[in-house]
Amino acid sequence: MRKLAAVLLGCLLLTGCAANWQQDLRYKILSVNNKTPTEYFDLELVGDAPKGSLEPGKLKSQLMQTNLIKGAEVGDEVLCSVEQEKGNAFGNSNVVTHLKNCKKA
């Protein structure tokens, strides 16, 4: 029983510093960035970053490949599923922001 408790405690300690946050957010397409071979939309968050996000500053401005938002143009607003994750103390502890499933609002 003590061995099982020690294993469970070890697992909790290893994942204890990891964090995850998700929410749907609205972005406005400001421009098309074509400085690289792949075209991207420059997106700006509409409104303020929500409370509880892991790193609000990383939500304000994002890039998304133009081919991943069907039928969108500069000036449109899009709704994206946004996830922020922070690794644990034994791996990468930086906050990483992912945008998924963006569609015209």
Side-chain angles (χ1 to χ4, degrees):
M1 186 68 166
R2 287 184 184 187
K3 289 181 183 179
L4 178 59
V7 169
L8 290 175
L9 182 59
C11 290
L12 288 173
L13 289 174
L14 287 175
T15 60
C17 297
N20 196 354
W21 174 87
Q22 276 185 279
Q23 190 168 334
D24 288 341
L25 298 179
R26 186 178 291 262
Y27 284 88
K28 183 171 184 164
I29 301 174
L30 298 179
S31 63
V32 175
N33 182 330
N34 54 8
K35 297 176 184 172
T36 63
T38 304
E39 283 190 344
Y40 292 90
F41 283 130
D42 290 314
L43 304 177
E44 181 178 78
L45 182 65
V46 175
D48 295 328
K51 293 180 181 179
S53 60
L54 299 179
E55 197 163 324
K58 286 192 172 185
L59 297 174
K60 293 181 182 188
S61 179
Q62 291 289 318
L63 293 175
M64 175 63 78
Q65 288 182 5
T66 57
N67 64 334
L68 296 178
I69 309 174
K70 305 289 185 214
E73 300 176 351
V74 173
D76 289 343
E77 289 189 1
V78 294
L79 189 63
C80 301
S81 176
V82 182
E83 179 179 5
Q84 286 188 321
E85 55 188 354
K86 181 176 181 176
N88 58 41
F90 298 101
N92 183 356
S93 63
N94 295 328
V95 173
V96 179
T97 302
H98 303 283
L99 270 68
K100 303 175 193 172
N101 304 323
C102 294
K103 54 187 170 246
K104 283 179 64 171

mmCIF file of all heavy atoms in Angstrom, residues 70-101:
data_model
loop_
_atom_site.group_PDB
_atom_site.id
_atom_site.type_symbol
_atom_site.label_atom_id
_atom_site.label_comp_id
_atom_site.label_asym_id
_atom_site.label_seq_id
_atom_site.Cartn_x
_atom_site.Cartn_y
_atom_site.Cartn_z
ATOM 1 N N LYS A 70 -11.463 28.844 -44.184
ATOM 2 C CA LYS A 70 -12.163 28.824 -45.469
ATOM 3 C C LYS A 70 -13.015 30.076 -45.679
ATOM 4 O O LYS A 70 -13.803 30.453 -44.819
ATOM 5 C CB LYS A 70 -13.064 27.587 -45.576
ATOM 6 C CG LYS A 70 -12.343 26.279 -45.362
ATOM 7 C CD LYS A 70 -11.428 25.967 -46.518
ATOM 8 C CE LYS A 70 -10.815 24.588 -46.314
ATOM 9 N NZ LYS A 70 -9.500 24.465 -46.795
ATOM 10 N N GLY A 71 -12.811 30.724 -46.817
ATOM 11 C CA GLY A 71 -13.638 31.851 -47.226
ATOM 12 C C GLY A 71 -13.413 33.143 -46.470
ATOM 13 O O GLY A 71 -14.163 34.092 -46.631
ATOM 14 N N ALA A 72 -12.381 33.217 -45.650
ATOM 15 C CA ALA A 72 -12.131 34.424 -44.857
ATOM 16 C C ALA A 72 -11.276 35.419 -45.634
ATOM 17 O O ALA A 72 -10.461 35.043 -46.469
ATOM 18 C CB ALA A 72 -11.439 34.062 -43.547
ATOM 19 N N GLU A 73 -11.497 36.689 -45.352
ATOM 20 C CA GLU A 73 -10.760 37.772 -45.990
ATOM 21 C C GLU A 73 -10.340 38.788 -44.934
ATOM 22 O O GLU A 73 -10.869 38.791 -43.821
ATOM 23 C CB GLU A 73 -11.642 38.480 -47.009
ATOM 24 C CG GLU A 73 -12.165 37.616 -48.120
ATOM 25 C CD GLU A 73 -13.109 38.385 -49.040
ATOM 26 O OE1 GLU A 73 -13.483 39.531 -48.720
ATOM 27 O OE2 GLU A 73 -13.476 37.825 -50.076
ATOM 28 N N VAL A 74 -9.431 39.683 -45.324
ATOM 29 C CA VAL A 74 -9.008 40.764 -44.440
ATOM 30 C C VAL A 74 -10.244 41.576 -44.047
ATOM 31 O O VAL A 74 -11.091 41.888 -44.873
ATOM 32 C CB VAL A 74 -7.951 41.656 -45.131
ATOM 33 C CG1 VAL A 74 -7.638 42.881 -44.289
ATOM 34 C CG2 VAL A 74 -6.685 40.856 -45.405
ATOM 35 N N GLY A 75 -10.373 41.872 -42.764
ATOM 36 C CA GLY A 75 -11.506 42.614 -42.231
ATOM 37 C C GLY A 75 -12.553 41.727 -41.582
ATOM 38 O O GLY A 75 -13.363 42.205 -40.792
ATOM 39 N N ASP A 76 -12.560 40.433 -41.914
ATOM 40 C CA ASP A 76 -13.520 39.500 -41.316
ATOM 41 C C ASP A 76 -13.150 39.198 -39.871
ATOM 42 O O ASP A 76 -11.985 39.307 -39.478
ATOM 43 C CB ASP A 76 -13.547 38.172 -42.076
ATOM 44 C CG ASP A 76 -14.193 38.274 -43.445
ATOM 45 O OD1 ASP A 76 -14.902 39.263 -43.697
ATOM 46 O OD2 ASP A 76 -13.975 37.353 -44.260
ATOM 47 N N GLU A 77 -14.151 38.789 -39.105
ATOM 48 C CA GLU A 77 -13.905 38.269 -37.766
ATOM 49 C C GLU A 77 -14.066 36.759 -37.811
ATOM 50 O O GLU A 77 -14.918 36.245 -38.539
ATOM 51 C CB GLU A 77 -14.849 38.887 -36.744
ATOM 52 C CG GLU A 77 -14.523 40.341 -36.471
ATOM 53 C CD GLU A 77 -15.291 40.924 -35.303
ATOM 54 O OE1 GLU A 77 -16.084 40.203 -34.654
ATOM 55 O OE2 GLU A 77 -15.090 42.125 -35.042
ATOM 56 N N VAL A 78 -13.223 36.083 -37.057
ATOM 57 C CA VAL A 78 -13.253 34.622 -37.014
ATOM 58 C C VAL A 78 -13.327 34.168 -35.567
ATOM 59 O O VAL A 78 -12.877 34.855 -34.655
ATOM 60 C CB VAL A 78 -12.006 34.000 -37.707
ATOM 61 C CG1 VAL A 78 -12.019 34.296 -39.186
ATOM 62 C CG2 VAL A 78 -10.709 34.480 -37.086
ATOM 63 N N LEU A 79 -13.920 33.003 -35.371
ATOM 64 C CA LEU A 79 -14.027 32.392 -34.058
ATOM 65 C C LEU A 79 -13.102 31.185 -34.034
ATOM 66 O O LEU A 79 -13.188 30.325 -34.908
ATOM 67 C CB LEU A 79 -15.469 31.977 -33.782
ATOM 68 C CG LEU A 79 -15.795 31.525 -32.365
ATOM 69 C CD1 LEU A 79 -15.583 32.671 -31.385
ATOM 70 C CD2 LEU A 79 -17.230 31.045 -32.291
ATOM 71 N N CYS A 80 -12.187 31.146 -33.065
ATOM 72 C CA CYS A 80 -11.192 30.081 -32.989
ATOM 73 C C CYS A 80 -11.230 29.413 -31.622
ATOM 74 O O CYS A 80 -11.452 30.060 -30.608
ATOM 75 C CB CYS A 80 -9.783 30.637 -33.202
ATOM 76 S SG CYS A 80 -9.509 31.460 -34.762
ATOM 77 N N SER A 81 -10.976 28.130 -31.630
ATOM 78 C CA SER A 81 -10.778 27.390 -30.390
ATOM 79 C C SER A 81 -9.310 27.585 -30.001
ATOM 80 O O SER A 81 -8.415 27.221 -30.757
ATOM 81 C CB SER A 81 -11.090 25.915 -30.615
ATOM 82 O OG SER A 81 -10.812 25.188 -29.456
ATOM 83 N N VAL A 82 -9.089 28.180 -28.841
ATOM 84 C CA VAL A 82 -7.733 28.531 -28.417
ATOM 85 C C VAL A 82 -7.361 27.696 -27.202
ATOM 86 O O VAL A 82 -8.150 27.545 -26.268
ATOM 87 C CB VAL A 82 -7.628 30.029 -28.070
ATOM 88 C CG1 VAL A 82 -6.216 30.396 -27.669
ATOM 89 C CG2 VAL A 82 -8.088 30.880 -29.250
ATOM 90 N N GLU A 83 -6.155 27.155 -27.230
ATOM 91 C CA GLU A 83 -5.650 26.373 -26.104
ATOM 92 C C GLU A 83 -4.271 26.886 -25.727
ATOM 93 O O GLU A 83 -3.437 27.127 -26.590
ATOM 94 C CB GLU A 83 -5.564 24.900 -26.475
ATOM 95 C CG GLU A 83 -5.030 24.040 -25.357
ATOM 96 C CD GLU A 83 -4.968 22.565 -25.728
ATOM 97 O OE1 GLU A 83 -5.247 22.211 -26.878
ATOM 98 O OE2 GLU A 83 -4.627 21.777 -24.834
ATOM 99 N N GLN A 84 -4.069 27.081 -24.442
ATOM 100 C CA GLN A 84 -2.747 27.401 -23.919
ATOM 101 C C GLN A 84 -2.341 26.271 -22.995
ATOM 102 O O GLN A 84 -3.141 25.809 -22.185
ATOM 103 C CB GLN A 84 -2.742 28.727 -23.146
ATOM 104 C CG GLN A 84 -2.836 29.930 -24.038
ATOM 105 C CD GLN A 84 -2.630 31.217 -23.264
ATOM 106 O OE1 GLN A 84 -3.087 31.373 -22.134
ATOM 107 N NE2 GLN A 84 -1.942 32.154 -23.891
ATOM 108 N N GLU A 85 -1.102 25.845 -23.133
ATOM 109 C CA GLU A 85 -0.600 24.796 -22.252
ATOM 110 C C GLU A 85 0.789 25.152 -21.770
ATOM 111 O O GLU A 85 1.573 25.761 -22.486
ATOM 112 C CB GLU A 85 -0.633 23.436 -22.945
ATOM 113 C CG GLU A 85 0.088 23.379 -24.254
ATOM 114 C CD GLU A 85 -0.136 22.066 -24.982
ATOM 115 O OE1 GLU A 85 -0.768 21.150 -24.431
ATOM 116 O OE2 GLU A 85 0.343 21.961 -26.114
ATOM 117 N N LYS A 86 1.028 24.785 -20.539
ATOM 118 C CA LYS A 86 2.327 25.018 -19.915
ATOM 119 C C LYS A 86 2.857 23.670 -19.466
ATOM 120 O O LYS A 86 2.150 22.908 -18.812
ATOM 121 C CB LYS A 86 2.195 25.950 -18.717
ATOM 122 C CG LYS A 86 3.515 26.254 -18.056
ATOM 123 C CD LYS A 86 3.359 27.256 -16.936
ATOM 124 C CE LYS A 86 4.718 27.539 -16.334
ATOM 125 N NZ LYS A 86 4.658 28.567 -15.317
ATOM 126 N N GLY A 87 4.088 23.396 -19.842
ATOM 127 C CA GLY A 87 4.695 22.123 -19.467
ATOM 128 C C GLY A 87 5.006 22.066 -17.987
ATOM 129 O O GLY A 87 4.730 22.982 -17.227
ATOM 130 N N ASN A 88 5.610 20.963 -17.585
ATOM 131 C CA ASN A 88 5.959 20.797 -16.169
ATOM 132 C C ASN A 88 7.404 21.212 -15.935
ATOM 133 O O ASN A 88 8.126 21.574 -16.856
ATOM 134 C CB ASN A 88 5.712 19.361 -15.716
ATOM 135 C CG ASN A 88 6.499 18.360 -16.532
ATOM 136 O OD1 ASN A 88 7.658 18.583 -16.858
ATOM 137 N ND2 ASN A 88 5.887 17.246 -16.872
ATOM 138 N N ALA A 89 7.831 21.157 -14.722
ATOM 139 C CA ALA A 89 9.173 21.606 -14.339
ATOM 140 C C ALA A 89 10.271 20.733 -14.928
ATOM 141 O O ALA A 89 11.418 21.151 -15.012
ATOM 142 C CB ALA A 89 9.287 21.636 -12.815
ATOM 143 N N PHE A 90 9.940 19.525 -15.352
ATOM 144 C CA PHE A 90 10.954 18.626 -15.871
ATOM 145 C C PHE A 90 11.065 18.682 -17.387
ATOM 146 O O PHE A 90 11.943 18.095 -17.978
ATOM 147 C CB PHE A 90 10.669 17.181 -15.426
ATOM 148 C CG PHE A 90 10.699 17.050 -13.939
ATOM 149 C CD1 PHE A 90 9.532 17.014 -13.218
ATOM 150 C CD2 PHE A 90 11.907 16.991 -13.269
ATOM 151 C CE1 PHE A 90 9.556 16.900 -11.832
ATOM 152 C CE2 PHE A 90 11.941 16.886 -11.882
ATOM 153 C CZ PHE A 90 10.761 16.840 -11.164
ATOM 154 N N GLY A 91 10.151 19.381 -18.033
ATOM 155 C CA GLY A 91 10.166 19.524 -19.489
ATOM 156 C C GLY A 91 10.194 20.992 -19.831
ATOM 157 O O GLY A 91 10.743 21.818 -19.104
ATOM 158 N N ASN A 92 9.590 21.345 -20.932
ATOM 159 C CA ASN A 92 9.495 22.733 -21.349
ATOM 160 C C ASN A 92 8.409 23.419 -20.528
ATOM 161 O O ASN A 92 7.246 23.049 -20.597
ATOM 162 C CB ASN A 92 9.160 22.790 -22.846
ATOM 163 C CG ASN A 92 9.128 24.196 -23.370
ATOM 164 O OD1 ASN A 92 9.282 25.161 -22.637
ATOM 165 N ND2 ASN A 92 8.923 24.316 -24.664
ATOM 166 N N SER A 93 8.762 24.434 -19.760
ATOM 167 C CA SER A 93 7.781 25.091 -18.890
ATOM 168 C C SER A 93 7.233 26.376 -19.505
ATOM 169 O O SER A 93 6.541 27.126 -18.834
ATOM 170 C CB SER A 93 8.405 25.381 -17.525
ATOM 171 O OG SER A 93 9.479 26.280 -17.670
ATOM 172 N N ASN A 94 7.515 26.635 -20.787
ATOM 173 C CA ASN A 94 6.967 27.815 -21.458
ATOM 174 C C ASN A 94 5.500 27.592 -21.806
ATOM 175 O O ASN A 94 5.062 26.471 -22.019
ATOM 176 C CB ASN A 94 7.733 28.110 -22.751
ATOM 177 C CG ASN A 94 9.171 28.493 -22.475
ATOM 178 O OD1 ASN A 94 9.475 29.089 -21.456
ATOM 179 N ND2 ASN A 94 10.048 28.153 -23.387
ATOM 180 N N VAL A 95 4.754 28.685 -21.908
ATOM 181 C CA VAL A 95 3.361 28.605 -22.326
ATOM 182 C C VAL A 95 3.317 28.591 -23.847
ATOM 183 O O VAL A 95 3.923 29.423 -24.507
ATOM 184 C CB VAL A 95 2.549 29.805 -21.785
ATOM 185 C CG1 VAL A 95 1.141 29.813 -22.362
ATOM 186 C CG2 VAL A 95 2.501 29.766 -20.264
ATOM 187 N N VAL A 96 2.591 27.627 -24.403
ATOM 188 C CA VAL A 96 2.426 27.504 -25.845
ATOM 189 C C VAL A 96 0.950 27.722 -26.163
ATOM 190 O O VAL A 96 0.078 27.156 -25.503
ATOM 191 C CB VAL A 96 2.876 26.105 -26.336
ATOM 192 C CG1 VAL A 96 2.677 25.970 -27.831
ATOM 193 C CG2 VAL A 96 4.328 25.858 -25.961
ATOM 194 N N THR A 97 0.674 28.565 -27.169
ATOM 195 C CA THR A 97 -0.692 28.878 -27.566
ATOM 196 C C THR A 97 -0.988 28.241 -28.915
ATOM 197 O O THR A 97 -0.215 28.389 -29.852
ATOM 198 C CB THR A 97 -0.889 30.403 -27.650
ATOM 199 O OG1 THR A 97 -0.579 30.981 -26.377
ATOM 200 C CG2 THR A 97 -2.309 30.768 -28.034
ATOM 201 N N HIS A 98 -2.125 27.537 -29.018
ATOM 202 C CA HIS A 98 -2.557 26.890 -30.258
ATOM 203 C C HIS A 98 -3.935 27.419 -30.640
ATOM 204 O O HIS A 98 -4.823 27.505 -29.792
ATOM 205 C CB HIS A 98 -2.684 25.372 -30.084
ATOM 206 C CG HIS A 98 -1.448 24.700 -29.626
ATOM 207 N ND1 HIS A 98 -0.383 24.438 -30.449
ATOM 208 C CD2 HIS A 98 -1.099 24.230 -28.402
ATOM 209 C CE1 HIS A 98 0.559 23.826 -29.753
ATOM 210 N NE2 HIS A 98 0.159 23.690 -28.504
ATOM 211 N N LEU A 99 -4.104 27.751 -31.915
ATOM 212 C CA LEU A 99 -5.418 28.101 -32.458
ATOM 213 C C LEU A 99 -5.860 26.957 -33.349
ATOM 214 O O LEU A 99 -5.083 26.477 -34.167
ATOM 215 C CB LEU A 99 -5.355 29.389 -33.279
ATOM 216 C CG LEU A 99 -5.583 30.690 -32.533
ATOM 217 C CD1 LEU A 99 -4.454 30.981 -31.592
ATOM 218 C CD2 LEU A 99 -5.769 31.811 -33.514
ATOM 219 N N LYS A 100 -7.119 26.552 -33.215
ATOM 220 C CA LYS A 100 -7.659 25.441 -33.998
ATOM 221 C C LYS A 100 -9.068 25.789 -34.466
ATOM 222 O O LYS A 100 -9.755 26.605 -33.855
ATOM 223 C CB LYS A 100 -7.745 24.169 -33.161
ATOM 224 C CG LYS A 100 -6.457 23.700 -32.552
ATOM 225 C CD LYS A 100 -6.723 22.507 -31.667
ATOM 226 C CE LYS A 100 -5.531 22.204 -30.804
ATOM 227 N NZ LYS A 100 -5.824 21.169 -29.812
ATOM 228 N N ASN A 101 -9.484 25.126 -35.514
ATOM 229 C CA ASN A 101 -10.874 25.191 -35.986
ATOM 230 C C ASN A 101 -11.407 26.607 -36.118
ATOM 231 O O ASN A 101 -12.514 26.905 -35.667
ATOM 232 C CB ASN A 101 -11.790 24.375 -35.064
ATOM 233 C CG ASN A 101 -11.340 22.947 -34.930
ATOM 234 O OD1 ASN A 101 -10.872 22.342 -35.886
ATOM 235 N ND2 ASN A 101 -11.457 22.393 -33.750
#
